[in-house]
Amino acid sequence: MKTDMSKLRKEIIRTAEKGCMDFTGFAPMDRFNGVHRRMRPEAHLKDAKCVVSIGIRYPLAMYENAGKTKAESYMSMDMYENNAMETALLQAAMDVARTLEDFGFNAVPMTTSMYRVQPYKDIKECWTQDFRNDIAAVAAGHGELGFNGVVITPKYGTRQMFTSIVTDAPIEADKMYEGPSLCDKCMKCVNACKMAAISAKDFDKVVVGDRNYYVAKKDIWRCMWSKKFMLNAEMGPKLHGMNVTIEPPKDEIKEEDVQKALSEKGRKGGLQTWYTYSMRECERECVPPHLRGVDLVKKYAKSAV
Amino acid sequence: MWEADMKSLTERVKKLAKENRMDLVGVASIDRYAHAPEMVHPRAHLPEANAVIAMAIRYPDAMFVNAGSGDAESIFSIENYQNTVIGKNLYNAALRVTRLLEDEGYKTVPMMVSGRWRLHPYKSIKTEWCADFSNRHAAVAAGLGEFGLHALCITPQYGMRQRFISIVTESPLTADPMYSGPSLCDKCMLCFKSCPSRSIDVRPENLEKVKIGERVFEYAKVDHWRCGWSEQVNNIPEEGPMMGGQEIGILPPEEGKITDEMFLSAFYEKNGLAGFQAGMTHAMGNCMRMCIPPPLRGKQKLPENYCKKMMGKREFIDPGDDKTRPRKYKVPLKA
């Protein structure tokens, strides 16, 4: 019996919404032509025909206030981002995959936070994931890539997280985003990064479907120096009482530099180094032109609609 | 919003929390925090805050009571369920309640369950191992229970057998009355006597006083470095790790203060001596296990005090002459 694809599409959207997802979109394979072969949907599922991209918004006041109010704390941000929201995403992806299987299709849910730290075979870059959730989100019509390389949506700007499900179900695709540009290259992302990891001048062309995005070149080791290894106290750790900053080498950062720095941080920072967080100000400072100065909670309140 | 609408929104919040496995839900009005320290006040997280929602999920009771007892002699389930399922259920419910309130147009910040602290005094915060918000104080403020001598929140429904989370919101939800039933702590001292790291200081001159709403509570001063010595890094096998086969223990110093360096050294030394097993174990707060509030005695089963039983069988490796230093020992496990 032929599957009712329209019914399946609706069922996926309903499943994702039940799992707290604010975004559900569908992207066809040809929009991934610009992606490395090992990170394409077909690299995970040979006969893939569609990628389902789902996303969840951050609690908006939590995101805005983290580290800026009298509490001077990132504890909620840390635990919701790395625990509650990631779990919600993975759970929703699992449920969408199960729905697809129940309709007789194969589905592979993607990760949110795993990396290959070093180059791997024909992957030349460091810190790569095995799938591009950012490109999937753009391909599924949720928004655009900003100059900072982060997905910007017209609804929440950069205040959401995404994951994806690769499937062989030939589900009708959504249109890509066609509204006004969500990045006016205001350069706040570049200026907000205390690691100077984002280049203001050099950029890469990222192709998604028939659109080209120009994304700043990022020194990923310099970014991870703060974001993942929390070696710059000014980006968050200081507010939890861990006031140790280790300066990275001026030129290229190598893995052994990080290991050495972590050891020094441990010696100087003590036990507090176990309990801290680093904020990505390049994302928080990024507000698309039409949302600047807008109170998102009030804007999207049911009573305001 | 009219009062009736706010009552209805409060009911929707509670219904949603209960649909997401929360067993207890209460609301505290912001005025009950009049005496809270500035940096852990709800308005320190959300300047527009008007209410705090406190929620709790109970432990499976027989799992809580039986952990470590019986022939299984295992606390694997309680570790796994506490750290994974119970915590994730709390976060899931808090996230959903937050989203509901945001959809209604109210700024809302969910708080964490546990696991992050400022270990040392920070600006106006004088205490050590301080989270950025206290879920137990929120639970008391929201009427879910009252403090025991051990400084933890005891509820009339489950005693100590639940975990809490909180949500700070701009929404002026309808507050619940504070708990006013029979006292939930009669200072039986079992918590004090059961703590293997001697974390609980019950000397009258050291008791802490807090005012929440119109009520004043008094509870013991807890040395969180000592508590964390066992609870966070499993240095005392009798509080759970021996159930997984960890025979090596390190006692905190009998006298003086635990330092960062001492804490970390003991942790790494214990891991070195105990091997892989040290990474796959769990300590369950004996103060919590042994506490049954008066109204629940005879209704809740008292767990076996395996901790106390095994403490008598320590074989000390260090002589213990210097009481300001940690002391290594072994608890031999015999078939």
Side-chain angles (χ1 to χ4, degrees), chain A residues 259-304:
Chain A
Q259 283 167 352
K260 211 172 124 193
L262 285 174
S263 164
E264 188 181 346
K265 181 181 80 162
R267 267 197 321 278
K268 291 179 176 169
L271 192 60
Q272 190 64 55
T273 58
W274 291 12
Y275 307 112
T276 186
Y277 177 79
S278 203
M279 186 72 190
R280 302 172 309 281
E281 292 296 351
C282 61
E283 289 179 27
R284 181 154 63 172
E285 283 292 310
C286 170
V287 178
H290 71 290
L291 293 182
R292 286 175 195 155
V294 175
D295 180 335
L296 296 183
V297 174
K298 303 299 178 224
K299 180 178 167 70
Y300 299 127
K302 275 183 188 164
S303 56

Tab-separated table of all heavy atoms in Angstrom, chain A residues 259-304:
chain	number	residue	atom	x	y	z
A	259	GLN	N	46.563	21.052	26.066
A	259	GLN	CA	46.804	20.151	27.202
A	259	GLN	C	47.659	20.825	28.278
A	259	GLN	O	47.363	20.742	29.471
A	259	GLN	CB	47.447	18.856	26.723
A	259	GLN	CG	46.409	17.933	26.078
A	259	GLN	CD	47.024	16.780	25.318
A	259	GLN	OE1	48.241	16.727	25.142
A	259	GLN	NE2	46.183	15.868	24.860
A	260	LYS	N	48.671	21.527	27.824
A	260	LYS	CA	49.555	22.240	28.750
A	260	LYS	C	48.768	23.327	29.496
A	260	LYS	O	48.900	23.491	30.720
A	260	LYS	CB	50.716	22.869	27.956
A	260	LYS	CG	52.008	22.978	28.712
A	260	LYS	CD	53.122	23.433	27.757
A	260	LYS	CE	53.751	24.689	28.315
A	260	LYS	NZ	54.604	25.380	27.374
A	261	ALA	N	47.963	24.042	28.733
A	261	ALA	CA	47.180	25.132	29.341
A	261	ALA	C	46.164	24.589	30.342
A	261	ALA	O	45.931	25.183	31.406
A	261	ALA	CB	46.476	25.923	28.249
A	262	LEU	N	45.558	23.450	30.015
A	262	LEU	CA	44.567	22.862	30.933
A	262	LEU	C	45.223	22.454	32.247
A	262	LEU	O	44.656	22.611	33.328
A	262	LEU	CB	43.887	21.647	30.287
A	262	LEU	CG	42.863	21.973	29.208
A	262	LEU	CD1	42.366	20.694	28.547
A	262	LEU	CD2	41.684	22.747	29.788
A	263	SER	N	46.423	21.921	32.103
A	263	SER	CA	47.146	21.504	33.295
A	263	SER	C	47.478	22.731	34.166
A	263	SER	O	47.310	22.708	35.397
A	263	SER	CB	48.389	20.749	32.819
A	263	SER	OG	49.290	20.622	33.809
A	264	GLU	N	47.880	23.812	33.517
A	264	GLU	CA	48.190	25.044	34.262
A	264	GLU	C	46.931	25.617	34.916
A	264	GLU	O	46.943	26.045	36.069
A	264	GLU	CB	48.811	26.079	33.306
A	264	GLU	CG	49.332	27.315	34.017
A	264	GLU	CD	49.925	28.350	33.054
A	264	GLU	OE1	50.182	28.015	31.879
A	264	GLU	OE2	50.106	29.496	33.493
A	265	LYS	N	45.816	25.578	34.169
A	265	LYS	CA	44.549	26.075	34.719
A	265	LYS	C	44.148	25.255	35.949
A	265	LYS	O	43.715	25.793	36.962
A	265	LYS	CB	43.445	26.003	33.657
A	265	LYS	CG	42.102	26.527	34.158
A	265	LYS	CD	41.003	26.442	33.102
A	265	LYS	CE	40.440	25.058	32.996
A	265	LYS	NZ	39.135	24.979	32.323
A	266	GLY	N	44.306	23.935	35.848
A	266	GLY	CA	43.976	23.066	36.973
A	266	GLY	C	44.802	23.407	38.210
A	266	GLY	O	44.294	23.470	39.321
A	267	ARG	N	46.103	23.646	37.972
A	267	ARG	CA	46.994	23.976	39.096
A	267	ARG	C	46.601	25.294	39.749
A	267	ARG	O	46.533	25.409	40.966
A	267	ARG	CB	48.438	24.103	38.593
A	267	ARG	CG	49.259	22.830	38.680
A	267	ARG	CD	50.768	23.095	38.581
A	267	ARG	NE	51.185	24.109	37.651
A	267	ARG	CZ	51.341	23.927	36.332
A	267	ARG	NH1	51.096	22.743	35.814
A	267	ARG	NH2	51.748	24.908	35.551
A	268	LYS	N	46.315	26.288	38.921
A	268	LYS	CA	46.030	27.616	39.460
A	268	LYS	C	44.583	27.768	39.916
A	268	LYS	O	44.289	28.502	40.851
A	268	LYS	CB	46.325	28.685	38.402
A	268	LYS	CG	47.793	28.844	38.086
A	268	LYS	CD	47.986	29.908	37.021
A	268	LYS	CE	49.470	30.142	36.756
A	268	LYS	NZ	49.666	30.972	35.562
A	269	GLY	N	43.667	27.108	39.230
A	269	GLY	CA	42.232	27.327	39.494
A	269	GLY	C	41.637	26.346	40.479
A	269	GLY	O	40.537	26.565	40.979
A	270	GLY	N	42.339	25.231	40.743
A	270	GLY	CA	41.853	24.260	41.711
A	270	GLY	C	40.537	23.619	41.308
A	270	GLY	O	40.196	23.524	40.125
A	271	LEU	N	39.802	23.208	42.311
A	271	LEU	CA	38.570	22.444	42.101
A	271	LEU	C	37.510	23.233	41.328
A	271	LEU	O	36.665	22.659	40.643
A	271	LEU	CB	38.027	22.018	43.468
A	271	LEU	CG	36.908	20.991	43.489
A	271	LEU	CD1	37.339	19.685	42.850
A	271	LEU	CD2	36.441	20.739	44.916
A	272	GLN	N	37.546	24.561	41.441
A	272	GLN	CA	36.531	25.367	40.760
A	272	GLN	C	36.558	25.154	39.248
A	272	GLN	O	35.551	25.351	38.572
A	272	GLN	CB	36.730	26.849	41.086
A	272	GLN	CG	35.584	27.753	40.617
A	272	GLN	CD	34.267	27.457	41.312
A	272	GLN	OE1	34.182	27.460	42.527
A	272	GLN	NE2	33.221	27.176	40.540
A	273	THR	N	37.692	24.701	38.714
A	273	THR	CA	37.770	24.480	37.265
A	273	THR	C	36.806	23.380	36.814
A	273	THR	O	36.496	23.282	35.639
A	273	THR	CB	39.207	24.081	36.826
A	273	THR	OG1	39.588	22.912	37.540
A	273	THR	CG2	40.193	25.193	37.117
A	274	TRP	N	36.333	22.569	37.751
A	274	TRP	CA	35.359	21.530	37.398
A	274	TRP	C	33.966	22.123	37.138
A	274	TRP	O	33.129	21.501	36.524
A	274	TRP	CB	35.210	20.500	38.522
A	274	TRP	CG	36.379	19.624	38.758
A	274	TRP	CD1	37.639	19.760	38.257
A	274	TRP	CD2	36.422	18.461	39.580
A	274	TRP	NE1	38.466	18.759	38.737
A	274	TRP	CE2	37.732	17.946	39.552
A	274	TRP	CE3	35.491	17.804	40.365
A	274	TRP	CZ2	38.130	16.811	40.253
A	274	TRP	CZ3	35.864	16.674	41.068
A	274	TRP	CH2	37.178	16.179	41.011
A	275	TYR	N	33.713	23.270	37.720
A	275	TYR	CA	32.342	23.784	37.746
A	275	TYR	C	32.268	25.172	37.134
A	275	TYR	O	32.102	26.162	37.852
A	275	TYR	CB	31.836	23.853	39.190
A	275	TYR	CG	31.959	22.554	39.964
A	275	TYR	CD1	32.843	22.428	41.025
A	275	TYR	CD2	31.182	21.456	39.630
A	275	TYR	CE1	32.954	21.245	41.747
A	275	TYR	CE2	31.291	20.266	40.331
A	275	TYR	CZ	32.179	20.169	41.386
A	275	TYR	OH	32.279	18.992	42.088
A	276	THR	N	32.421	25.242	35.827
A	276	THR	CA	32.353	26.567	35.236
A	276	THR	C	31.808	26.496	33.813
A	276	THR	O	31.482	25.418	33.324
A	276	THR	CB	33.739	27.247	35.317
A	276	THR	OG1	33.606	28.578	34.874
A	276	THR	CG2	34.771	26.527	34.478
A	277	TYR	N	31.692	27.646	33.160
A	277	TYR	CA	31.043	27.719	31.846
A	277	TYR	C	31.592	28.903	31.077
A	277	TYR	O	31.972	29.909	31.671
A	277	TYR	CB	29.529	27.899	32.044
A	277	TYR	CG	28.742	28.051	30.761
A	277	TYR	CD1	28.422	26.940	29.989
A	277	TYR	CD2	28.316	29.298	30.324
A	277	TYR	CE1	27.703	27.076	28.802
A	277	TYR	CE2	27.593	29.442	29.142
A	277	TYR	CZ	27.287	28.323	28.390
A	277	TYR	OH	26.571	28.458	27.236
A	278	SER	N	31.614	28.765	29.772
A	278	SER	CA	32.082	29.867	28.940
A	278	SER	C	30.998	30.224	27.926
A	278	SER	O	30.494	29.359	27.216
A	278	SER	CB	33.357	29.410	28.224
A	278	SER	OG	34.116	30.508	27.858
A	279	MET	N	30.644	31.491	27.855
A	279	MET	CA	29.568	31.951	26.974
A	279	MET	C	30.117	32.261	25.582
A	279	MET	O	31.252	32.727	25.454
A	279	MET	CB	28.948	33.207	27.589
A	279	MET	CG	27.727	33.736	26.865
A	279	MET	SD	26.300	32.673	27.136
A	279	MET	CE	25.154	33.354	25.940
A	280	ARG	N	29.293	32.027	24.597
A	280	ARG	CA	29.675	32.378	23.223
A	280	ARG	C	29.062	33.737	22.901
A	280	ARG	O	27.944	33.841	22.402
A	280	ARG	CB	29.172	31.308	22.254
A	280	ARG	CG	29.703	29.915	22.567
A	280	ARG	CD	29.041	28.851	21.726
A	280	ARG	NE	27.598	28.931	21.754
A	280	ARG	CZ	26.843	28.480	22.742
A	280	ARG	NH1	27.395	27.916	23.806
A	280	ARG	NH2	25.533	28.584	22.699
A	281	GLU	N	29.826	34.782	23.163
A	281	GLU	CA	29.278	36.136	22.968
A	281	GLU	C	29.096	36.467	21.484
A	281	GLU	O	28.318	37.349	21.147
A	281	GLU	CB	30.151	37.181	23.660
A	281	GLU	CG	30.131	37.113	25.191
A	281	GLU	CD	28.766	37.413	25.818
A	281	GLU	OE1	27.835	37.839	25.109
A	281	GLU	OE2	28.641	37.188	27.043
A	282	CYS	N	29.823	35.756	20.614
A	282	CYS	CA	29.633	35.999	19.173
A	282	CYS	C	28.200	35.669	18.773
A	282	CYS	O	27.640	36.258	17.855
A	282	CYS	CB	30.611	35.160	18.342
A	282	CYS	SG	30.422	33.391	18.550
A	283	GLU	N	27.584	34.729	19.473
A	283	GLU	CA	26.191	34.369	19.195
A	283	GLU	C	25.235	35.300	19.928
A	283	GLU	O	24.238	35.739	19.380
A	283	GLU	CB	25.913	32.923	19.616
A	283	GLU	CG	26.581	31.912	18.718
A	283	GLU	CD	26.316	30.482	19.165
A	283	GLU	OE1	25.271	30.228	19.797
A	283	GLU	OE2	27.180	29.616	18.897
A	284	ARG	N	25.558	35.573	21.202
A	284	ARG	CA	24.611	36.381	21.978
A	284	ARG	C	24.534	37.822	21.453
A	284	ARG	O	23.469	38.432	21.447
A	284	ARG	CB	24.974	36.375	23.461
A	284	ARG	CG	23.960	37.189	24.260
A	284	ARG	CD	23.830	36.785	25.685
A	284	ARG	NE	25.034	36.963	26.468
A	284	ARG	CZ	25.067	36.810	27.781
A	284	ARG	NH1	23.972	36.472	28.436
A	284	ARG	NH2	26.183	36.969	28.445
A	285	GLU	N	25.670	38.338	21.017
A	285	GLU	CA	25.676	39.721	20.517
A	285	GLU	C	24.994	39.846	19.157
A	285	GLU	O	24.683	40.941	18.704
A	285	GLU	CB	27.127	40.212	20.399
A	285	GLU	CG	27.749	40.595	21.731
A	285	GLU	CD	27.113	41.835	22.334
A	285	GLU	OE1	26.993	42.843	21.628
A	285	GLU	OE2	26.709	41.784	23.511
A	286	CYS	N	24.794	38.689	18.534
A	286	CYS	CA	24.221	38.693	17.185
A	286	CYS	C	22.702	38.782	17.250
A	286	CYS	O	22.034	37.825	17.642
A	286	CYS	CB	24.649	37.410	16.461
A	286	CYS	SG	23.812	37.143	14.905
A	287	VAL	N	22.167	39.926	16.876
A	287	VAL	CA	20.711	40.099	16.804
A	287	VAL	C	20.406	40.597	15.390
A	287	VAL	O	20.940	41.626	14.967
A	287	VAL	CB	20.212	41.122	17.848
A	287	VAL	CG1	18.710	41.315	17.728
A	287	VAL	CG2	20.589	40.670	19.260
A	288	PRO	N	19.572	39.865	14.641
A	288	PRO	CA	19.307	40.285	13.262
A	288	PRO	C	18.607	41.649	13.221
A	288	PRO	O	17.921	42.010	14.186
A	288	PRO	CB	18.410	39.167	12.717
A	288	PRO	CG	17.902	38.431	13.887
A	288	PRO	CD	18.887	38.620	14.994
A	289	PRO	N	18.806	42.397	12.144
A	289	PRO	CA	18.339	43.792	12.098
A	289	PRO	C	16.906	43.998	12.582
A	289	PRO	O	16.656	44.904	13.380
A	289	PRO	CB	18.487	44.144	10.614
A	289	PRO	CG	19.576	43.260	10.116
A	289	PRO	CD	19.497	41.994	10.909
A	290	HIS	N	15.975	43.160	12.152
A	290	HIS	CA	14.562	43.412	12.489
A	290	HIS	C	14.216	43.057	13.940
A	290	HIS	O	13.128	43.372	14.401
A	290	HIS	CB	13.648	42.661	11.522
A	290	HIS	CG	13.667	41.170	11.729
A	290	HIS	ND1	14.759	40.390	11.417
A	290	HIS	CD2	12.746	40.322	12.252
A	290	HIS	CE1	14.497	39.137	11.712
A	290	HIS	NE2	13.277	39.060	12.227
A	291	LEU	N	15.138	42.390	14.657
A	291	LEU	CA	14.828	42.025	16.056
A	291	LEU	C	15.579	42.895	17.064
A	291	LEU	O	15.437	42.705	18.274
A	291	LEU	CB	15.153	40.543	16.307
A	291	LEU	CG	14.300	39.506	15.569
A	291	LEU	CD1	14.717	38.084	15.959
A	291	LEU	CD2	12.808	39.681	15.853
A	292	ARG	N	16.346	43.850	16.584
A	292	ARG	CA	17.126	44.690	17.519
A	292	ARG	C	16.183	45.529	18.377
A	292	ARG	O	15.268	46.181	17.869
A	292	ARG	CB	18.119	45.577	16.747
A	292	ARG	CG	19.280	44.711	16.245
A	292	ARG	CD	20.262	45.438	15.370
A	292	ARG	NE	21.088	44.409	14.694
A	292	ARG	CZ	21.702	44.579	13.547
A	292	ARG	NH1	21.633	45.723	12.902
A	292	ARG	NH2	22.400	43.589	13.018
A	293	GLY	N	16.394	45.432	19.680
A	293	GLY	CA	15.571	46.205	20.617
A	293	GLY	C	14.196	45.599	20.863
A	293	GLY	O	13.367	46.172	21.571
A	294	VAL	N	13.943	44.422	20.311
A	294	VAL	CA	12.610	43.803	20.452
A	294	VAL	C	12.610	42.835	21.639
A	294	VAL	O	13.542	42.051	21.808
A	294	VAL	CB	12.231	43.045	19.153
A	294	VAL	CG1	10.918	42.291	19.321
A	294	VAL	CG2	12.151	44.006	17.983
A	295	ASP	N	11.592	42.914	22.476
A	295	ASP	CA	11.405	41.969	23.574
A	295	ASP	C	10.690	40.737	22.996
A	295	ASP	O	9.493	40.778	22.718
A	295	ASP	CB	10.563	42.634	24.677
A	295	ASP	CG	10.325	41.715	25.867
A	295	ASP	OD1	10.362	40.490	25.673
A	295	ASP	OD2	10.098	42.235	26.969
A	296	LEU	N	11.459	39.667	22.787
A	296	LEU	CA	10.907	38.503	22.083
A	296	LEU	C	9.767	37.838	22.848
A	296	LEU	O	8.822	37.328	22.245
A	296	LEU	CB	12.015	37.480	21.796
A	296	LEU	CG	13.142	37.934	20.857
A	296	LEU	CD1	14.112	36.791	20.613
A	296	LEU	CD2	12.584	38.425	19.527
A	297	VAL	N	9.859	37.821	24.185
A	297	VAL	CA	8.792	37.166	24.972
A	297	VAL	C	7.472	37.908	24.752
A	297	VAL	O	6.434	37.288	24.515
A	297	VAL	CB	9.166	37.115	26.468
A	297	VAL	CG1	8.015	36.568	27.297
A	297	VAL	CG2	10.405	36.251	26.678
A	298	LYS	N	7.527	39.222	24.802
A	298	LYS	CA	6.289	39.999	24.604
A	298	LYS	C	5.810	39.894	23.148
A	298	LYS	O	4.624	39.796	22.882
A	298	LYS	CB	6.506	41.478	24.970
A	298	LYS	CG	7.000	41.713	26.405
A	298	LYS	CD	6.034	41.199	27.465
A	298	LYS	CE	6.607	41.418	28.865
A	298	LYS	NZ	6.454	40.273	29.751
A	299	LYS	N	6.769	39.904	22.231
A	299	LYS	CA	6.413	39.850	20.801
A	299	LYS	C	5.645	38.576	20.456
A	299	LYS	O	4.702	38.598	19.680
A	299	LYS	CB	7.700	39.941	19.956
A	299	LYS	CG	7.483	39.906	18.436
A	299	LYS	CD	8.816	40.056	17.715
A	299	LYS	CE	8.734	39.725	16.246
A	299	LYS	NZ	7.998	40.691	15.449
A	300	TYR	N	6.115	37.456	21.046
A	300	TYR	CA	5.502	36.183	20.674
A	300	TYR	C	4.464	35.684	21.674
A	300	TYR	O	4.001	34.545	21.573
A	300	TYR	CB	6.585	35.116	20.462
A	300	TYR	CG	7.546	35.475	19.353
A	300	TYR	CD1	8.914	35.477	19.550
A	300	TYR	CD2	7.054	35.846	18.101
A	300	TYR	CE1	9.790	35.829	18.530
A	300	TYR	CE2	7.922	36.206	17.076
A	300	TYR	CZ	9.292	36.208	17.301
A	300	TYR	OH	10.139	36.556	16.294
A	301	ALA	N	4.090	36.515	22.640
A	301	ALA	CA	3.045	36.092	23.593
A	301	ALA	C	1.766	35.799	22.813
A	301	ALA	O	1.447	36.503	21.853
A	301	ALA	CB	2.816	37.203	24.613
A	302	LYS	N	1.074	34.760	23.256
A	302	LYS	CA	-0.169	34.384	22.558
A	302	LYS	C	-1.122	35.568	22.465
A	302	LYS	O	-1.785	35.772	21.460
A	302	LYS	CB	-0.841	33.238	23.314
A	302	LYS	CG	-0.292	31.889	22.916
A	302	LYS	CD	-1.040	30.803	23.645
A	302	LYS	CE	-0.396	29.458	23.419
A	302	LYS	NZ	-0.860	28.478	24.402
A	303	SER	N	-1.165	36.352	23.548
A	303	SER	CA	-2.105	37.480	23.580
A	303	SER	C	-1.721	38.562	22.567
A	303	SER	O	-2.545	39.368	22.167
A	303	SER	CB	-2.139	38.081	24.980
A	303	SER	OG	-0.830	38.449	25.357
A	304	ALA	N	-0.438	38.561	22.149
A	304	ALA	CA	0.001	39.594	21.207
A	304	ALA	C	-0.224	39.174	19.768
A	304	ALA	O	-0.128	39.968	18.852
A	304	ALA	CB	1.487	39.891	21.422
